[in-house]
Each structure stands twice: as structure tokens, then as C-alpha cells.
Amino acid sequence: MATFLCKVGRFAFRRRGLVSLLWLAVLVGVGFAAATAPPPPADTFSMPGTESQKAFDLLEEEFPTMSVDGATARVVVRAPAGAKLSDPAERAKVETLVGALSKAPGVVSASDPFKADALSQDGTTAYAVATYEVSALKVPDEAHKGLDKVLEDARTTGLVVEAGGDAVKVEGAPGGGAEGIGILVSAVVLVLTFGSMIAAGMPLLTAITGVAIGGAAITALGSTLGLSSTTSTLALMIGLAVGIDYALFIVSRYRSELAEGRECQDAAGRAVGTAGSAVVFAGLTVIVALAGLSVVNIPMLTKMGLAAAGTVAVSVLIAITLVPALLGFAPIKVMPRRERRKYYGKPLTRRQQSKADKRAARQKPNLGTRWAAFVVRRPLAVLLLGVVGLGVVAVPAASLQLGLPGEGTMAADTTQRKAYDLLSESFGAGFNGPLMVTVQARDAAATAADVGKELGKVEGVAAVTAATPNDKGDTAVLTLIPETGPAELATEELVGRIRGIADGLGADNGAEILVTGQTALFIDFSRTLDDAMLPYLGLVVGLAFLLLVLVFRSLLVPLKAALGFLLSVGAALGAVVAVFQWGWLADVFGVDQPGPIMSTLPIFMIGVVFGLAMDYEVFLVTRMREAYVHGARPGEAVVTGFRYGGRVVGAAAIIMVSVFSGFIMEANVFVRMVGFSLAIAVLFDAFIVRMALVPALFALLGRSAWWLPRWLDRLLPNMDVEGEKLGGASATPLLPTQQRGEREARIQG
């Protein structure tokens, strides 16, 4: 592996113009394909195999006029203080509102609250439901603006008017500012790390190129493979993250090789052969983690995972080809300005060389070296402190409750939250999460009426509406209102009880009874993700374990890598629960309403953080193994690994924490939750697990850390990630400092 990649790096450096033009051609070609491709399909959400999805499919087939997939806006109206909506003047205002609502862009129909019995008992509050011709994800901006105008006009009459439902535009959606902040912080960290604008610009340029190619490819294939516009969301985030990381490690290794006296072309080859090998295997672990989302069996997540995995593959190819090509255009300018004179120009005089040697002798070991030496001296104390600290932070994770975002957890100043509160006050908390019960039978109307009577007796049910049959009379639907809110645990338990009773009633009546609705759909979604968690974790960790065994030729190194990852993810989940579910530091992170954790968060966090964690593990430990293979003692190998890799891994982690932390400033609380969880997970994994627990374990295990049974050693292919076979691959030996001035004529050759 290392020998092959070394040849790739040397070729890319030597034929830099050709390689750069090829990647430019790929970018232009994919961009043209994306620009001329048919528009991607709209986002669709389905959960094959669940009762909710089966019922939705049935309603769409048997009640085509219901617009089951059509978006709805529930406009809540409250009379001014001291008045009632039944008063002639106030009733006229409401009727004017309903008339304007029915004529709003995209609206198919709007219900009259006085005719639909949608007036509260005290007569002060009512609601009208507007149904749109398209699904929520297809509602255009024109329709959103039209609805907003209707609401504003009604408010000028003195009515209190708010709106909820999936047709209402969600304010505070991600606006792109977080990505800009992340790139800006990344640029600053890269400049501070490298001391060179050119060296800092290469990782950003190559990462953006990879993301552009990946995003354009997703758009180009959107209509063919059914990839919606949101499929690229995860791909863009992960592609930017790993793209910067991979280029950062290769550029850093090139600078190290150049500083040791190698010719530029040889330095590029060895950088790709060693750091590039680590990039390939680190990329494979990320691809495994993302492609593994397929086991969840939710088409939307499967497409997002595979699209992101493809973007990571592009980032790997760019790192091992385009990065060395760009190094060929500026082979010396990637070094800090104060060091460039050593690599070209006139040779140093004896006096200048003497001064340089004295400065080098006075130079203190870098922070990574000093930290590693400290950990090697006190490994047990560092290990215990790190494990206990992360264990304490992980304790709240035992109380993790999963759910999906609802209007009841939105910011208090949003119209959706205000409408939710108005309905809860006037009609009951369960009114915001009605359940739909479908009944299929020969005489569906009569059977549904009997089912409604039985379900109305169930504890926790506030009301059951009359059944509505279809034209054929073989299917009916009725609405059930719980006593509790849609996000409450009691509602989830009620859905389980109703489904159990419905199964029994169906068996007695020869009918098929299904429970659906948005609340039931959210419950099924959370349950599906919860059931898939362990299989997904087992698949990802198991396959990555096998990859790491190949990389490090050890059983204990992959084992501790996996255990360390589980510890950091547990601590991150604990922090998320404490802040977003329990409400600790809620004001600091802008959490208006603590509640259940978003169902998709744990599985996304496992995939993303696992990939980045294995990146840091591979890059840090391959440096240690490289030193160990070349004869260093275990403790010395740890210090060597941190001397060359500690600063770079730290910079990469700071960049990722900064990128993800940018999302904490978004207005949407669930975007903040994602940003916080990923940032804190990377922080724990990089700086506690990889920077503290890993070297401590290596110091305690000594040579046994690299133990591998002989029979397994003979079976496994030697991937040579540490570049042991590169000793003879370089045509140019190390050069003394006095000879470096003679390189100028050969740099561009």
C-alpha cells in the first residue's frame, strides 16, 4: 500500500499540471451534468414495514380526495379580551379570514370553524384548517407569503391569530451562516498551524473541490436515483470535515519529510505513501459508518448515508492525487516564511550554519512531545482520571428519551408554538396530536362506529369523532384525541394500548384496524431508529475493527480504539441529555423548551463521530507504529507519534469542533442540538480519548499493545501503512543542511 501510494504521490507531484487539469475537467463535467440534469425529486418520507406507513398508504388509495399527503395549516383564532367569537362583529371577522384563507395561493380548501364544530366551549377560540394541493416539502415560497399576509390582515382587526401545521414556514432553519463561520475558523487554525498562507489554503481548496464534485454529482444523479435536495446535507458537512483533515495530514507530513532533508518530489511521495495510507484506511472507516445507515431501513437515511460515503471517497482520491499536485506548484512556499531560505538560494555560510545550529539546540520540545512525555510518566493516573471523568459525564445518557421535533418544543416566540399553546389551553393538550384510525371491513361504517365506542372507553382518550366511510363503503376513518400532548410518554403508551385493543377488535369483527397520524408516525420512527441502534453499532464497530486490525496488525489497538469511541459517544450523549432534555445551562445554549432528544441524533452522531474518531486514531497511532517498527521502544514511540502528529491532530479536532459549534448559533433548536452534540463528541474523543487515554494505554501495555497471534499474522496481508518498505523507495538520500541550497535548479524538475 505505502509503496504504491508513494509512486502515486511522486507521479502527481511530477505531472502536477496534468493531474490538476484532470480534476478540473471532472469538476467542470460534473458541474455541467448537474446544471443540465432534470430537477431532483421532492423530499419524501416513508418507513416501510411500519403500521403508520401502511395506514397512510391505505388512506391515499381509498380516500384520494382527502389529500393525505397534502400540507395543512391550522389557523387558530382567539377573540379580543371580553369578547366571544360568536358575537356578530367577531364572527364576521372570522368569516372574512376563512374567505381569504380559501383564496390563498396553493390552498385547496379551508374549513369554517362555525360549521366544523371547531369552537371552544367558552366561545373564545376557534380554528380553521387550510389544506394545500402539495405536500409540505413542496409548498412554494409564494404560498408561505400568501399565508403570512392572511394572518397579518386578520391581526389588524383585533383578533389574536396564529398558525401551526406543516404548511407553515419554519423560521430559524439553517441559513448557511454556520458553514461560513466554520470555514473562517478553519482558515485561522490552519494559518496558525502551518505559519504559511499557501499551506493553509491547500486543505481548504481541496476540501471545497471535493465537496463541490460530490454535491454536483448528487444533483446530477438526483432524478435518476431519486436523490432529493436534502440528500446532500450530510454529504456536504462530512465532505468538508474529512476533506480538510485528509489534506491537512498529507501537507503536514510533506513538511516533515522536507525538513528532514529529502528532495521535494521524494518528500511528496513519502507523504502520500505514509500519511496517504492512513487517509485511505481512515476514509474506509468513515465510508463504512455512513453506508451502514442502510441497516436502519429508512430510505431517506439510506440515501443520505450513501451520498455522504461517495463524497468521502472523492475526498480520499483528491487527498492522494490533487494535494501532491498542488504541492508541486509551491514545494517550498508551504514552509513557514522564516524557514524557506534554508531550502533555496545560496548555501548557508559557516557562520550562518553555526547560528542556525545554536537556535535549533535552544529550541524546546513542542507541546505534543511534552504532553506525551507527561502521560508516559503517569499513565495510570491519566487513564483513571479520563475514564472516570467521561463516565460521570455519561451518566445522564441512561435517562435518554427519543422523539421528533414538534411545535410544542419550538421557540416561544414562533407562531407555531403560540398556536400550539392556544389549542392546548382551549381544547386540551392532546388536540395537537390527534390519531387517525382506519378500519377496513365489509360494512366499514358500522364496524368503525363500534370500534369508536370501544376506543372511547380507553383510559387516556379524550374524544373519538364519528367515522367517515369512503365511497365504496369498505374503508372508514375516525379521529381519536388523546388527553396528553404528542411528545409525552403517556401518549406513546396510549398508542401501544390502542393498537393492542384494535388488533383484538379486528380479530372479532373480521376487520383490519390500523392506527396512524403524525403522532403515531413519529412514535414508529423513533422506535425504528431505537431498534436499529445496536445492529448499526455492531456493524460499524465490527467492520472498522477488522480494518484497524489490518492497519495496525494488532488486536488490542483496534479494541481500545472501539472502546474509547463508545466512551466518548456515551459522554457526549450524557451532555446532550443534560442540556436539551434536563435543561441544564438551557439559557446558555438557547433551549426554550427542554424535551426528548431528536430520534435521528444518536445514530447520526455515531456515524459522524466514529468516522472522525478513527481518523484521529489512525493518524496518531500510525506515527507511533512507524517509530516502533523502526526500532523505538514503546514509550519512545508514543512520544515520537505526538511529536509529529499531536499538533496536527489537535488542529484538525479544533477545526471540526469549530465547524460544528457554528451550528449552535442557529435559531432552530434542533440544529443547535446537532451542532452541540457533534462538537462535544469530537472534543471528548480527540482531546481526552485520543490525546490522553490512548497514549496512557500504550504506556501501560508496552510491547503487548502490538501483539498479534502468529497464525493471524501469517493470514493477514501486510498493508505497510507505516511505510516500512519505503526505505529503498526514495531515490535520493537525506541531504545535509549545507547541500540544501543546491536544490533550486531541481525543485521544479
Side-chain angles (χ1 to χ4, degrees):
M1 173 69 79
T3 304
F4 169 75
L5 290 179
C6 180
K7 293 178 181 178
V8 171
R10 290 168 63 87
F11 173 83
F13 185 93
R14 187 172 63 252
R15 304 298 298 273
R16 46 193 170 271
L18 174 62
V19 173
S20 300
L21 285 175
L22 287 175
W23 276 112
L24 180 61
V26 171
L27 178 60
V28 172
V30 176
F32 177 78
T36 57
D43 291 304
T44 57
F45 181 81
S46 63
M47 293 189 301
T50 63
E51 181 172 328
S52 296
Q53 187 63 48
K54 185 177 179 181
F56 267 120
D57 294 340
L58 175 65
L59 289 172
E60 188 173 10
E61 179 182 351
E62 300 294 340
F63 293 87
T65 59
M66 283 184 63
S67 297
V68 176
D69 291 333
T72 58
R74 191 158 49 181
V75 179
V76 185
V77 183
R78 177 166 287 181
K84 291 187 177 183
L85 293 178
S86 56
D87 297 340
E90 304 304 327
R91 179 165 183 157
K93 295 177 184 178
V94 174
E95 290 175 346
T96 301
L97 166 62
V98 173
L101 189 62
S102 63
K103 298 177 183 178
V107 175
V108 176
S109 63
S111 64
D112 186 334
F114 299 105
K115 296 178 181 179
D117 193 22
L119 188 68
S120 63
Q121 290 184 352
D122 60 6
T124 61
T125 307
Y127 65 90
V129 178
T131 304
Y132 286 73
E133 58 186 354
V134 296
S135 65
L137 299 171
K138 296 181 181 179
V139 175
D141 289 338
E142 179 187 2
H144 288 306
K145 292 177 182 178
L147 177 61
D148 291 340
K149 186 178 186 306
V150 171
L151 300 182
E152 288 299 326
D153 291 345
R155 287 170 183 148
T156 60
T157 65
L159 295 173
V160 177
V161 184
E162 305 295 344
D166 54 6
V168 183
K169 185 177 181 179
V170 178
E171 300 296 336
E179 292 87 340
I181 294 172
I183 292 175
L184 179 62
V185 173
S186 301
V188 172
V189 174
L190 288 170
V191 170
L192 294 176
T193 301
F194 285 136
S196 165
M197 293 293 292
I198 293 178
M202 283 186 186
L204 290 175
L205 176 61
T206 54
I208 292 172
T209 301
V211 164
I213 292 174
I218 293 170
T219 302
L221 297 173
S223 60
T224 304
L225 302 180
L227 306 177
S228 66
S229 57
T230 58
T231 302
S232 60
T233 303
L234 183 63
L236 297 181
M237 180 176 66
I238 302 303
L240 182 63
V242 301
I244 293 175
D245 273 7
Y246 296 162
L248 170 64
F249 288 117
I250 290 179
V251 172
S252 177
R253 185 58 186 259
Y254 170 81
R255 285 163 41 114
S256 297
E257 296 291 340
L258 204 62
E260 291 179 3
R262 287 188 170 83
E263 288 290 334
C264 298
Q265 184 174 297
D266 294 336
R270 292 183 66 88
V272 176
T274 52
S277 296
V279 163
V280 170
F281 279 96
L284 283 175
T285 61
V286 180
I287 290 171
V288 166
L290 294 172
L293 288 172
S294 304
V295 304
V296 182
N297 195 30
I298 295 178
M300 180 184 69
L301 294 184
T302 299
K303 293 176 182 178
M304 290 182 70
L306 293 177
T311 304
V312 171
V314 172
S315 298
V316 171
L317 292 175
I318 284 180
I320 61 178
T321 55
L322 184 57
V323 171
L326 294 180
L327 288 172
F329 288 110
I332 301 301
K333 291 185 178 180
V334 296
M335 303 298 289
R337 184 178 296 275
R338 64 180 180 275
E339 297 182 15
R340 293 175 190 171
R341 61 178 299 181
K342 296 189 298 184
Y343 299 95
Y344 50 60
K346 296 180 180 180
L348 298 178
T349 64
R350 185 173 298 177
R351 182 177 180 182
Q352 289 173 329
Q353 183 62 46
S354 176
K355 288 183 177 180
D357 292 341
K358 289 180 180 179
R359 283 197 301 269
R362 290 195 302 268
Q363 189 174 4
K364 295 181 180 179
N366 61 25
L367 180 60
T369 303
R370 297 196 300 273
W371 170 251
F374 170 80
V375 174
V376 169
R377 289 196 304 270
R378 299 173 178 82
L380 188 59
V382 171
L383 182 65
L384 290 176
L385 183 62
V387 171
V388 172
L390 290 178
V392 170
V393 178
V395 168
S399 302
L400 176 67
Q401 293 181 7
L402 298 179
L404 280 179
E407 295 177 347
T409 55
M410 288 185 174
D413 58 349
T414 60
T415 186
Q416 292 95 327
R417 175 63 183 277
K418 292 176 181 177
Y420 181 96
D421 291 340
L422 288 173
L423 288 173
S424 296
E425 293 170 6
S426 300
F427 295 92
F431 197 82
N432 285 289
L435 302 173
M436 297 178 69
V437 181
T438 64
V439 180
Q440 270 192 310
R442 290 183 179 179
D443 186 358
T447 304
D450 295 337
V451 170
K453 292 178 182 178
E454 292 298 324
L455 295 182
K457 302 174 184 177
V458 177
E459 182 181 358
V461 174
V464 179
T465 65
T468 302
N470 65 347
D471 294 336
K472 293 185 294 184
D474 60 356
T475 306
V477 59
L478 49 85
T479 301
L480 184 150
I481 308 297
E483 293 179 351
T484 51
E488 296 183 41
L489 181 61
T491 304
E492 181 177 350
E493 295 173 348
L494 175 64
V495 171
R497 290 200 303 272
I498 290 175
R499 283 176 170 168
I501 295 171
D503 289 341
L505 293 175
D508 295 339
N509 299 327
E512 183 177 29
I513 304 173
L514 303 173
V515 179
T516 187
Q518 189 180 59
T519 300
L521 187 69
F522 283 4
I523 291 171
D524 288 346
F525 183 75
S526 298
R527 189 169 298 159
T528 299
L529 288 173
D530 194 34
D531 293 341
M533 187 72 67
L534 288 180
Y536 174 69
L537 192 60
L539 174 69
V540 169
V541 174
L543 291 178
F545 180 86
L546 296 178
L547 283 174
L548 293 179
V549 169
L550 283 175
V551 173
F552 299 123
R553 305 191 71 77
S554 165
L555 293 179
L556 293 179
V557 172
L559 179 61
K560 69 171 184 54
L563 293 177
F565 159 74
L566 294 176
L567 189 61
S568 60
V569 166
L573 282 176
V576 170
V577 170
V579 173
F580 292 92
Q581 185 176 310
W582 292 357
W584 294 4
L585 300 177
D587 293 337
V588 175
F589 295 102
V591 182
D592 295 302
Q593 180 66 44
I597 304 303
M598 188 167 56
S599 300
T600 54
L601 182 67
I603 207 159
F604 267 132
M605 188 167 68
I606 288 172
V608 175
V609 177
F610 184 81
L612 295 176
M614 293 305 104
D615 279 359
Y616 304 142
E617 176 79 13
V618 169
F619 289 119
L620 201 57
V621 178
T622 46
R623 268 296 199 173
M624 298 180 192
R625 177 163 175 78
E626 185 176 343
Y628 179 77
V629 167
H630 287 89
R633 294 194 300 272
E636 294 174 345
V638 171
V639 175
T640 301
F642 272 80
R643 179 186 305 130
Y644 293 106
R647 183 181 183 184
V648 181
V649 170
I654 291 173
I655 289 171
M656 290 306 99
V657 171
S658 302
V659 169
F660 295 138
S661 296
F663 290 94
I664 299 176
M665 293 182 287
E666 292 282 356
N668 189 296
V669 66
F670 299 102
V671 176
R672 289 201 297 270
M673 187 186 298
V674 172
F676 174 83
S677 63
L678 295 179
I680 200 72
V682 171
L683 184 70
F684 287 156
D685 195 272
F687 292 103
I688 298 180
V689 174
R690 309 302 155 192
M691 292 287 197
L693 302 187
V694 166
L697 280 170
F698 271 114
L700 290 172
L701 294 173
R703 297 184 183 276
S704 61
W706 307 106
W707 173 78
L708 186 70
R710 291 184 179 180
W711 63 269
L712 186 57
D713 186 47
R714 289 192 298 268
L715 289 176
L716 293 178
N718 186 2
M719 308 306 295
D720 190 27
V721 177
E722 65 278 354
E724 185 179 4
K725 297 180 181 179
L726 292 181
S730 178
T732 306
L734 297 180
L735 297 177
T737 307
Q738 292 88 339
Q739 294 177 340
R740 286 175 178 156
E742 301 175 4
R743 297 183 188 178
E744 178 65 18
R746 301 193 299 273
I747 285 176
Q748 303 299 332

